[in-house]
Amino acid sequence: NLARSGAINSMLTQDPAASRHLVGLLRRTGGVMQTQAAIAVAGIAADARARETLFAQGALPQLTALLDADPELAGAAVQAVAHFASDERFRSTLTELGVSRSLAAQLSHRSPDVAQCALSAVANISFVP
């Protein structure tokens, strides 16, 4: 997919309007577009520069809200949050947003991959001083 190939990551760092649009799609209530945007953000957030761009566009509060959504949407949000949690620059913000409770609930997600991402995020966030 485009996120894994790096094409979207390059576009996001060069064009802030693209990241604004993607984060805007996260704000939509339900539907395929919101889910696809969350999946795209999860793939894109693996890149450190893309995380900075997404953060500047307000992605973290939107992703935090999606942690309590339906399983597919929450699963994509968990993966994206796990990428942010792996980066010490965003851990205190995640803590301030109160993601720990929602991540703890995802430890029993039906997908073992999502549960593992949630565990990784919780472990990384625990390093906030």
Side-chain angles (χ1 to χ4, degrees), residues 37-50:
I39 291 168
V41 168
I44 294 164
D47 180 79
R49 288 187 309 166

Side-chain angles (χ1 to χ4, degrees), residues 59-77:
L60 277 182
Q62 298 306 314
L63 291 168
T64 299
L66 297 178
L67 290 173
D68 296 318
D70 69 78
E72 183 179 8
L73 190 50

